[in-house]
Amino acid sequence: MRHVPFRWLAACLPFIALPFTAQAQSRIDEVLVYPGGAQVTRLATVAAGARELVLNCLSARFDPDSLQIDAPAGVNLGPVQLETLPRERVPDCANSPLDEQVRKLEGQRDQLAAESTALDTSLGYLKALGSGEARSTPATGIAATADSIRKTALDGLLRQAQIKRQLEELEKQLAPLQGERERLAAANPQWRSLRLRLSTTKEAELKLNYRVTQAGWAPSYRALLDTASGALSLERLAQVSQQSGEDWKNVKLRLSTAQAAQKVGQTPPWPWQLNIQPPTPPVAADARRLYAPAPAPVAMSVMAEGSRVREPEQERFDLSVFQGSYATEFVLPLRVNIDSGTQRASLALGSEKLQAKVLARVQPQSEAAAYLVADASKPAGAWPRGALQLVRDGALVGSSMLNVASGDERLELPFGRDDAVRVQVEPEQRNAGNTGFIGARAEHRYTRGYVVENRHAAPLALQLVEAAPVSQHEDIKVQSQFSPAPTTQAWRKQPGLVLWELPLAAGQSQRFTAEYVISAPKEAQVTGLR
């Protein structure tokens, strides 16, 4: 397999007249999409004895420096030339896949318009004929003639009304197609032609690889939870977009988390230098005002920005969603079609079956309510950060973000509020006083109480999280007392987050209390007190 980069080929001598030029047809066979771009593989067949390959109507959006041509053994490749032409100079390339639909609808519209004009002529004739017959027809025949004209005119008017409605419907169908065709034409103002000199004694298939930046993909997920069994299905989805100027028809699609534009090297380190700042000589107040830096011209910047002609914005593909994940490639089992201009094409990438522990979590200081949480082991493999849809027992409850690469040891997914768990928050009791020798220290007491009731017909696993005061200074003392005893006072390794975790039977209630005594020097200004 010969592999020839474009940079070497383009440096060769200009073309000379060749005896056999192959005006070849090519097709896109495979596309590798990564965040912020795609690598396109195009196949072109050359006949035996061909001396030149010409490919017209290529999109001008691909990076010419990325062009690489692979040929099988027995095919010698020579110089290659790329020529970019404005759209109006290559009318053969201006055909749009929407043209056939537009022509069909325009033909129907023209036919209806012609029929409407013919009806106008017919109705005018009937009107004139009726007026003339009214003067020359005997009295015995006037009634029959008038009735015949009336019926014919009625049929014509009804048909005209029907044609008007059909024309309005056709215009509604034509308008978006014509707008999309004009948009595609404006988005592709240029076409590119490729001419490759070669030598082959047999028919061969060449591979052209090039990169485009007007494409990308982002992951999305769907989590489906069965609260009765704890079965959790995590589905992978991919949202693919492309505006490369080329339609991807029946292509093999691969998706990679690799970032081609990612930083590939380190910045050289700088030595750590220490020095002493020389004393600043005193400056008079007038001199300080004289040499003070002028304020930034905010208003001028705003005016300049507002007066500048803004170019139309292009869609951007977010690279940050893949930070923190190593590269993984997904290959779709079937060939797909993704046309240029596609904003979002959703593709399924399989699913992972997990077993979760379903919890009812209460954080009474923020809200007197319980929320369901599915706690499971993290799935294996690469799961780049992406949008997540949450489905609980077949019903969509909302959306969140999936971030498997976070520092948490386990995967926790929220599944909405549990209205069958009742939470009561008792009014907080507070008082203050002085302790020690002649009241040297100020003391603050807080008492909190919560009651949680399970109104489900089945037991549940309950978690209640309480934020307790934590001293950040040696002169601040905190005494805490809890009932019942908590499971931990450093939930998620954060001191001060008190966690109770216990089973709660159907119809059962549980009361939780927390008492705190905070003391500090009387003259100290303690921050964080409520």
Side-chain angles (χ1 to χ4, degrees), residues 185-214:
N188 293 276
Q190 296 176 321
W191 294 106
R192 187 168 284 162
S193 174
L194 180 146
R195 302 174 68 90
L196 169 66
R197 185 174 179 179
L198 55 86
S199 174
T200 178
T201 58
K202 60 180 180 180
E203 182 179 287
E205 187 175 66
L206 305 185
K207 281 187 177 181
L208 291 81
N209 295 288
Y210 50 84
R211 289 194 172 186
V212 295
T213 57
Q214 303 84 4

Side-chain angles (χ1 to χ4, degrees), residues 30-47:
E30 185 176 343
V31 180
L32 171 62
V33 186
Y34 49 88
Q39 178 172 302
V40 178
T41 300
R42 180 180 286 273
L43 302 181
T45 303
V46 294

Side-chain angles (χ1 to χ4, degrees), residues 115-137:
E115 185 178 353
S116 179
T117 302
L119 284 172
D120 286 338
T121 303
S122 176
L123 290 171
Y125 174 76
L126 288 175
K127 183 177 180 181
L129 180 62
S131 299
E133 287 181 350
R135 296 190 297 269
S136 59
T137 303

